[in-house]
Amino acid sequence: MTKTKFPKAALFLKQHKRKRSSSDKEEGSSSTRTQSLSDDSFHSEDGGASTGHQKQKEGECLQKLKEGCRLANISVSDNIIFRFACYYNFDYEVAESAIAERVDDPHLHLRMEGQLMKQFQSLIIFPLPGLMTKNNKHEVLYFHACRHFPAETDTELLIKNMCYVFNDMSTTEDQCRNGVALIADLNQWTFKNFTNECANKFLKAMQHQVPTKVATVLVVNAPRWFPKVWKVLRKMVSKSFAKKFIILKNPNQLQDYLMDDCEKYLPLEMGYWRDSTEIVDDFVDMKLHNESNL
């Protein structure tokens, strides 16, 4: 992706440090900190209360990012600022650089319209409402890989499909902190459904196109030849991200990773209960309604 250059982004860090250097001495530890998506307490990544040090680090990072955006005339919502800060573990300088370069990436500002809305009707990537992982921490989305044909559909549209769901699953503080789990269903997946270029673009987008943490990828119904292909695919992402992929020998093993009664939320394509068309239609209708009120 071509990096966006803001007119004043180069001054972002310098301006903020200059301003803070004089005010920090006066404010000290009693300075007022801008909090995340609400004015309530922060939480650590494991869902519990943050330590005092972490709480302070998070608050200061968010305050500096908001002030830096103001100084650099970067128009950005509190939600986007928190997403970047959380994604980069509240490392101010890294988050600052990412915001300056990527805040106007169209993948962050997708709407349910045009080709993207038609893409959802193909039932390739969509959320599974109500489904959580075993620890009741991560919301889950579903990817039915055999429905994408790179020779017929631009992979960029598939990436937008995924990013739209990622964005929708990153609207609250807990969602941003916990990240998502993805079920990659490779049933009937063949060489017609991917190319090296397609896989490379898709996997890299999954890792860092938008600031949504992918906690785990549960691969089910993989063909016998998949391990050989995976040796190539895993090199397209970082080693740490590749470790998030768990290849299950049997779809029934999903029960080891998902909440009790997960069968009620899994789609018919996997032999379970939910109708995918109904899930997607409801999701599209809800997003159209929400976006019409913006």
Side-chain angles (χ1 to χ4, degrees):
M1 183 186 72
T2 302
K3 293 183 177 180
T4 301
K5 299 298 182 183
F6 293 88
K8 298 186 180 181
L11 301 176
F12 189 108
L13 182 59
K14 184 183 295 184
Q15 287 177 318
H16 184 73
K17 283 185 174 179
R18 185 183 301 123
K19 182 174 181 179
R20 292 292 295 176
S21 62
S22 59
S23 60
D24 282 347
K25 294 180 181 179
E26 300 175 1
E27 296 177 3
S29 60
S30 63
S31 59
T32 302
R33 299 184 179 90
T34 304
Q35 296 193 346
S36 60
L37 307 185
S38 68
D39 290 328
D40 299 325
S41 61
F42 288 92
H43 302 281
S44 63
E45 289 193 21
D46 63 3
S50 295
T51 63
H53 175 73
Q54 180 66 17
K55 194 173 182 179
Q56 178 177 341
K57 175 187 175 183
E58 294 180 5
E60 289 179 347
C61 174
L62 291 166
Q63 182 183 18
K64 288 164 69 177
L65 288 172
K66 290 182 180 182
E67 181 65 5
C69 287
R70 185 187 69 80
L71 290 171
N73 288 336
I74 298 175
S75 178
V76 57
S77 68
D78 287 353
N79 170 260
I80 295 296
I81 290 176
F82 187 81
R83 285 181 66 183
F84 276 105
C86 188
Y87 185 81
Y88 292 106
N89 297 317
F90 298 93
D91 184 317
Y92 167 67
E93 294 191 8
V94 178
E96 170 267 322
S97 178
I99 290 174
E101 294 176 353
R102 296 164 52 196
V103 72
D104 64 346
D105 180 351
H107 297 88
L108 273 172
H109 310 286
L110 296 164
R111 294 179 63 86
M112 186 65 74
E113 58 189 9
Q115 291 298 313
L116 180 57
M117 185 164 64
K118 293 181 180 179
Q119 169 70 15
F120 269 93
Q121 302 301 331
S122 63
L123 309 180
I124 300 176
I125 301 177
F126 51 90
L128 296 174
L131 184 61
M132 303 288 288
T133 51
K134 198 76 171 181
N135 55 12
N136 202 38
K137 189 174 182 180
H138 312 294
E139 296 179 350
V140 184
L141 63 155
Y142 177 70
F143 171 42
H144 201 176
C146 74
R147 288 176 173 159
H148 177 66
F149 296 90
E152 301 175 10
T153 305
D154 188 354
T155 300
E156 173 60 20
L157 194 54
L158 179 69
I159 291 171
K160 288 181 178 179
N161 185 171
M162 176 176 63
C163 289
Y164 188 97
V165 178
F166 280 175
N167 292 340
D168 187 65
M169 299 174 107
S170 304
T171 59
T172 70
E173 180 181 328
D174 284 342
Q175 287 177 324
C176 293
R177 291 183 184 277
N178 296 334
V180 301
L182 186 147
I183 297 175
D185 186 356
L186 303 189
N187 189 33
Q188 299 182 354
W189 191 59
T190 71
F191 288 101
K192 293 182 179 180
N193 301 119
F194 79 102
T195 62
N196 283 345
E197 180 182 8
C198 167
N200 186 44
K201 289 180 178 180
F202 183 72
L203 288 172
K204 287 183 176 178
M206 185 187 297
Q207 182 177 359
H208 52 59
Q209 186 71 57
V210 294
T212 294
K213 297 179 179 180
V214 177
T216 188
V217 179
L218 302 172
V219 181
V220 297
N221 297 318
R224 292 181 179 179
W225 45 265
F226 180 72
K228 294 182 179 179
V229 173
W230 178 237
K231 290 181 180 180
V232 177
L233 299 183
R234 66 181 299 134
K235 296 178 182 179
M236 298 176 179
V237 295
S238 68
K239 291 183 179 179
S240 60
F241 193 76
K243 290 179 180 178
K244 297 177 184 289
F245 286 70
I246 302 174
I247 303 173
L248 305 181
K249 295 182 179 180
N250 190 308
N252 291 332
Q253 291 178 292
L254 279 173
Q255 298 177 20
D256 297 332
Y257 298 91
L258 303 177
M259 60 189 280
D260 294 340
D261 297 326
C262 61
E263 299 89 349
K264 296 179 181 179
Y265 305 93
L266 291 168
L268 287 171
E269 289 88 336
M270 298 184 67
Y272 294 102
W273 298 3
R274 293 296 307 274
D275 183 278
S276 296
T277 300
E278 181 179 314
I279 293 174
V280 171
D281 285 348
D282 288 347
F283 179 71
V284 170
D285 287 345
M286 178 183 68
K287 300 313 297 182
L288 288 173
H289 173 76
N290 292 346
E291 291 174 8
S292 68
N293 294 325
L294 292 179

